[in-house]
Every structure is written in structure tokens, then in C-alpha cells.
């Protein structure tokens, strides 16, 4: 989820630079059509990238809410991020319903790229809120981990994974 937020930050900063300068990343001056296309491209990409946040953040925020009850600033951040997710939940539900064969939703007839663009544009306020609160969220989420972040042993090496099926202590007897 943090990776998704970092990818969103990079994409958001890139499109913001385009909006401010009126130029593409290669320096080409953009007309209204080019700016609109940059916006559409960002919105579609943002929707794809923001979905893991919409999917996984509610559980994490619930866990964080229990941890921050005594700290009002952190509790306010958790509440704000939760409210933002709730506002975007309708977009996620619409996306999921679109894939349901029995859905009577009108978006079933719209090309997927167009749906992602529309939903991404709807999600921009939530994305902006999450990007602004990313650092605090990471700090709060890490403090809410029951056993803290996983760390390798003191020696620095990570133990090998155990096989899913244990090896027999002796070879099997031949079948007759």
C-alpha cells in the first residue's frame, strides 16, 4: 500500500508539473487537448494505483484507530483518512460491480479505460488527502503493528523457508 502511495505521489507530481507549466515532460508546449489528455492519463493511472489503498486501508485504519485513541492529532489523521476512504468506497463498489455479469449498471457498456478515467477523477480528492497524510499514516501504522516491523536476526541473514511438505527421515520402502 505504501508503494501505491509512492507511485501516486510520483504521478501526481508529474501531472501537477504539466498543469503548472503547460508543457509535457519532454518540454513540448501542450494545447487544451494535450492538457486534457494528460489529465485523463493521470486519472486512469491513478485509479489503478489507488485501488490497493481503497482495498487494504480500511482494515489498517481500524487497527490504527485502536492504537491512537489517546493521541488526538493522530486520531484526527486516522479519522480524516477513514472519511476519505468512505467517500471513495462508492467508486470502488462501482468498479467491482462493473465486472459482475448480472450487473445492470450502465457503466458495463462503457470501455474499461473510460471507466477507470471517470473513477480516477472522482478519487482525486481522496488521493490528495492520502498523499498529504502519507507520512503520518506510515508512522501511525508502524506503531500499530502488534509485534513491530519484521527484522532479520542479528547475524543479518534470513533463515531459509521450511518446505511445505516435510522430508521423510528415511527413504520409503520399495513397493511390491
Amino acid at each position: 500500500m505504501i508503494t501505491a502511495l509512492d507511485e501516486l505521489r510520483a504521478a501526481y507530481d508529474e501531472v501537477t508539473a504539466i498543469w503548472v507549466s503547460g508543457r509535457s515532460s519532454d518540454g513540448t508546449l501542450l494545447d487544451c487537448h494535450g492538457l486534457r489528455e494528460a489529465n485523463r492519463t493521470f486519472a486512469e493511472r491513478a485509479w489503478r494505483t489507488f485501488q490497493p489503498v481503497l482495498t487494504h486501508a480500511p482494515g489498517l485504519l481500524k487497527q490504527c484507530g485502536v492504537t491512537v485513541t489517546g493521541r488526538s492529532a493522530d486520531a484526527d489523521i486516522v479519522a480524516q483518512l477513514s472519511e476519505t476512504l468512505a467517500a471513495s468506497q462508492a467508486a470502488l463498489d462501482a468498479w467491482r460491480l462493473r465486472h459482475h455479469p448480472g450487473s445492470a449498471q450502465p457503466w458495463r457498456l462503457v470501455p474499461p479505460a473510460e471507466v477507470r478515467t471517470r473513477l480516477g477523477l472522482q478519487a482525486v480528492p481522496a488521493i490528495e488527502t492520502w498523499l498529504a497524510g502519507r507520512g503520518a499514516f506510515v508512522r501511525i501504522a508502524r506503531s500499530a503493528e502488534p509485534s513491530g516491523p519484521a527484522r532479520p536476526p542479528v547475524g543479518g541473514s534470513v533463515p531459509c523457508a521450511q518446505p511445505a511438505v516435510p522430508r521423510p527421515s528415511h527413504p520409503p520402502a520399495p513397493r511390491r
Side-chain angles (χ1 to χ4, degrees), residues 107-119:
W107 285 19
R108 276 184 64 75
L109 304 175
V110 179
E114 181 65 26
V115 174
R116 286 189 298 268
T117 300
R118 289 182 191 179
L119 294 174

Side-chain angles (χ1 to χ4, degrees), residues 11-158:
Y12 186 82
D13 289 348
E14 182 180 320
V15 79
T16 300
I18 291 170
W19 293 334
V20 169
S21 69
R23 297 182 179 276
S24 66
S25 56
D26 68 0
T28 305
L29 188 60
L30 297 173
D31 58 7
C32 276
H33 175 72
L35 290 171
R36 192 169 38 251
E37 191 56 36
N39 196 38
R40 291 176 59 78
T41 301
F42 166 75
E44 182 181 359
R45 180 177 171 195
W47 177 252
R48 287 178 185 220
T49 307
F50 195 53
Q51 284 181 30
V53 176
L54 289 171
T55 303
H56 300 293
L60 288 171
L61 287 171
K62 187 175 183 180
Q63 184 178 352
C64 290
V66 171
T67 304
V68 298
T69 54
R71 297 177 292 206
S72 63
D74 287 350
D76 290 345
I77 291 168
V78 170
Q80 181 183 26
L81 294 175
S82 296
E83 289 170 16
T84 299
L85 280 183
S88 297
Q89 195 61 45
L92 183 61
D93 293 343
W95 178 252
R96 288 178 176 158
L97 281 175
R98 183 182 186 286
H99 296 294
H100 189 272
S103 175
Q105 189 174 13
W107 285 19
R108 276 184 64 75
L109 304 175
V110 179
E114 181 65 26
V115 174
R116 286 189 298 268
T117 300
R118 289 182 191 179
L119 294 174
L121 290 171
Q122 287 178 14
V124 166
I127 290 169
E128 290 173 333
T129 301
W130 272 87
L131 292 178
R134 180 212 176 273
F137 170 73
V138 170
R139 179 182 48 76
I140 294 166
R142 286 195 174 137
S143 70
E145 289 178 353
S147 61
R151 293 186 177 92
V154 177
S157 64
V158 178

